């Protein structure tokens, strides 16, 4: 029998198979608790859910404007001003996207050409690599190093960032709060990124979807607030993370008009528009309590991290996000593949988040699950020891 042809373009073939698909398949076939994928197993705030149901019943079910409905853009502008003192014009500097993932893809397609270079910080969310590949650009990874002296457990070396810049560098893809490490970049680290961007006239695409999921009294600082950065930064956010409604797929990009127009110029040819009733609901939700999800997640983080630490795992307690990283001190891929059958728990080996071999012993656990599910996972891991 002849081999089936592969019609996928060459630049996307390295992304054809996903470690997430493999681990999810193992979870299903073994009946394991899936702590691999980052989505909650509970619904978001009731007031936001009720607002969406009301919007559906109220007839908001046809195409909204490609740029997003004005009430949501106005709510986003008010949010940025309230939390960060950032000014964005809702008529021209905010684009509502089908999740932050579309905002990321639209920005990369709009701003990079074949052969341009995009700097990412590894470990990086694997969607970044695919988005860069889709645009024809080349990713250049700068490693966040495991650092026991840094409060986050990870540190950035500014000299390594500077050394990564070449004449072909077009953009820095920043992610803080950072997936998968849970690191919140310090003001000094953000300033180091800003200094490089300004010195080399680079755009910063800043993924801030976990901006309201920061723990232990820490605060998130957008890089756009640093001197000289507002004009060169695209800030990405996500309702899915802030309100635990990942299936709604509504995000947004905030940027000065020239950058926002470039994002919209591509976005309108991808999804055209995002769920109308969800936009109506989120316009109301952004004016409400944005701390409920954070409080819930911090408690869930502690259930999982404390439980893993008691079992002797080398846990890097996160400052933010949905995830904690564990150094298993052995081949992480072998560990992750064996864990479902051995313990009935699924994790994600982090080799797909690195270009280097630095992360070969790291796995990522998601704690955006109900506390009883997390405790059950800890119990299963204990019993399998």
């Amino acid at each position: 029998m002849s081999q089936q042809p592969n019609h996928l373009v060459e630049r996307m073939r390295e992304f054809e198979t996903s470690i997430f698909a493999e681990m999810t398949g193992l979870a299903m076939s073994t009946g394991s608790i899936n702590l691999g994928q980052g989505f909650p197993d509970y619904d978001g705030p009731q007031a936001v859910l009720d607002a969406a149901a009301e919007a559906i019943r109220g007839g908001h079910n046809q195409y909204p404007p490609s740029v997003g409905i004005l009430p949501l853009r106005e709510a986003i502008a008010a949010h940025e001003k309230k939390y960060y003192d950032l000014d964005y014009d809702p008529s021209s500097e905010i684009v509502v996207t089908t999740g932050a993932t579309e905002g990321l893809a639209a920005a990369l397609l709009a701003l990079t050409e074949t052969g341009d270079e995009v700097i990412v910080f590894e470990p990086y969310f694997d969607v970044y690599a695919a988005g860069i590949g889709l645009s024809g650009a080349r990713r250049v990874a700068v490693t966040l190093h495991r650092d026991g002296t840094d409060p986050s457990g990870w540190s950035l070396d500014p000299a390594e960032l500077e050394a990564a810049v070449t004449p072909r560098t077009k953009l820095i893809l920043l992610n803080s709060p950072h997936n998968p490490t849970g690191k919140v970049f310090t003001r000094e680290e953000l300033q180091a990124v800003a200094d490089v961007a300004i010195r080399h006239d680079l755009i910063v695409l800043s993924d801030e979807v976990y901006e309201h999921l920061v723990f232990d009294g820490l605060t998130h600082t957008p890089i756009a607030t640093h001197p000289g950065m507002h004009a060169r930064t695209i800030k990405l956010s996500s309702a899915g993370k802030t309100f635990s409604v990942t299936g709604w797929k509504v995000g947004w990009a905030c940027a000065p008009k020239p950058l926002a127009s470039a994002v919209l110029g591509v976005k309108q040819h991808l999804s055209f528009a995002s769920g109308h009733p969800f936009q109506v609901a989120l316009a109301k939700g952004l004016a409400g309590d944005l701390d409920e999800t954070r409080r819930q997640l911090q408690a869930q983080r502690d259930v999982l991290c404390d439980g893993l630490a008691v079992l002797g795992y080398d846990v890097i307690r996160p400052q933010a996000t949905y995830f904690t990283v564990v150094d298993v001190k052995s081949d992480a891929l072998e560990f992750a593949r064996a864990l479902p059958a051995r313990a009935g728990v699924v994790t994600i080996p982090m080799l797909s988040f690195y270009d280097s071999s630095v992360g070969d012993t790291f796995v990522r656990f998601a704690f955006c699950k109900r506390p009883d599910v997390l405790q059950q996972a800890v119990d299963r891991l204990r019993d399998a020891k």
Side-chain angles (χ1 to χ4, degrees):
M1 188 177 194
S2 61
Q3 185 176 1
Q4 293 294 314
N6 187 345
H7 296 291
L8 186 63
V9 293
E10 185 69 34
R11 69 178 180 277
M12 296 304 293
R13 288 185 184 178
E14 68 171 294
F15 315 112
E16 191 172 5
T17 58
S18 166
I19 193 65
F20 289 95
E22 179 183 350
M23 293 297 114
T24 297
L26 283 174
M28 294 175 66
S29 65
T30 60
S32 293
I33 296 172
N34 190 350
L35 301 187
Q37 289 187 292
F39 60 86
D41 60 357
Y42 47 85
D43 287 330
Q46 192 60 49
V48 177
L49 303 180
D50 290 343
E54 181 182 345
I56 292 171
R57 289 191 296 267
H60 298 283
N61 300 305
Q62 307 308 323
Y63 289 131
S66 185
V67 71
I69 64 170
L70 182 58
L72 177 55
R73 285 180 281 130
E74 289 175 336
I76 293 166
H79 166 273
E80 297 300 313
K81 183 66 175 178
K82 174 182 177 180
Y83 285 93
Y84 311 121
D85 199 27
L86 287 170
D87 291 308
Y88 293 104
D89 184 345
S91 68
S92 61
E93 297 184 325
I94 296 171
V95 179
V96 177
T97 58
T98 304
T101 302
E102 186 190 44
L104 175 84
L108 289 168
L109 288 167
L111 300 173
T112 60
E113 304 276 7
T114 299
D116 286 344
E117 293 178 351
V118 176
I119 292 175
V120 295
F121 297 99
E122 67 173 5
Y124 50 76
F125 183 32
D126 63 339
V127 167
Y128 298 166
I132 294 166
L134 190 65
S135 73
R138 173 178 173 267
R139 70 180 180 274
V140 176
V142 173
T143 303
L144 298 176
H145 296 284
R146 174 79 189 274
D147 183 351
T149 65
D150 189 285
S152 72
W154 308 84
S155 63
L156 167 67
D157 184 342
E160 292 183 8
L161 173 59
E162 176 67 36
V165 178
T166 77
R168 306 202 75 159
T169 306
K170 183 70 176 289
L171 186 148
I172 298 173
L173 207 175
L174 174 68
N175 177 209
S176 179
H178 184 264
N179 172 17
T181 67
K183 172 183 175 63
V184 177
F185 279 60
T186 65
R187 278 195 163 274
E188 292 74 21
E189 289 171 326
L190 292 175
Q191 189 59 55
V193 175
D195 290 343
V196 169
I198 293 169
R199 186 159 50 247
H200 297 282
D201 193 22
L202 306 177
I203 295 167
V204 173
L205 180 56
S206 184
D207 179 352
E208 302 176 24
V209 300
Y210 295 99
E211 61 189 320
H212 289 292
L213 306 182
V214 178
F215 312 133
D216 303 323
L218 298 175
T219 57
H220 165 64
T221 302
I223 194 169
T225 63
H226 283 246
M229 289 306 298
H230 188 277
R232 64 176 68 248
T233 300
I234 300 172
K235 181 180 184 295
L236 299 178
S237 297
S238 167
K241 301 303 189 297
T242 296
F243 296 103
S244 295
V245 287
T246 59
W248 287 16
K249 294 301 294 178
V250 178
W252 49 87
C254 298
K257 184 176 180 179
L259 290 173
S261 296
V263 173
L264 179 59
V266 172
K267 178 263 183 302
Q268 65 186 337
H269 301 296
L270 296 177
S271 67
F272 178 71
S274 303
H276 195 164
F278 300 141
Q279 292 192 38
V280 174
L282 292 168
K284 298 178 180 179
L286 280 173
D289 178 11
L290 302 187
D291 284 333
E292 180 179 344
T293 303
R294 177 193 58 77
R295 290 190 295 265
Q296 186 175 3
L297 274 168
Q298 181 169 324
Q300 291 164 204
R301 176 204 64 174
D302 292 343
V303 170
L304 181 61
C305 289
D306 292 348
L308 292 173
V310 167
L311 296 178
Y313 286 103
D314 182 6
V315 182
I316 310 172
R317 187 178 293 262
Q319 297 176 321
T321 77
Y322 280 178
F323 309 106
T324 188
V325 175
V326 172
D327 187 347
V328 297
K329 312 293 186 183
S330 62
D331 187 303
L333 182 58
E334 291 183 3
F335 175 91
R337 284 174 169 165
L339 195 64
R342 182 169 66 84
V345 177
V346 164
T347 184
I348 293 291
M350 286 173 49
L351 73 168
S352 297
F353 305 157
Y354 281 88
D355 290 344
S356 69
S357 61
V358 172
D360 285 357
T361 65
F362 294 139
V363 299
R364 189 193 78 174
F365 287 93
F367 52 82
C368 50
K369 312 296 179 182
R370 299 189 312 274
D372 61 301
V373 172
L374 296 171
Q375 187 58 57
Q376 185 181 0
V378 170
D379 292 344
R380 289 186 179 189
L381 289 166
R382 181 198 61 223
D383 294 343
K385 276 272 186 182

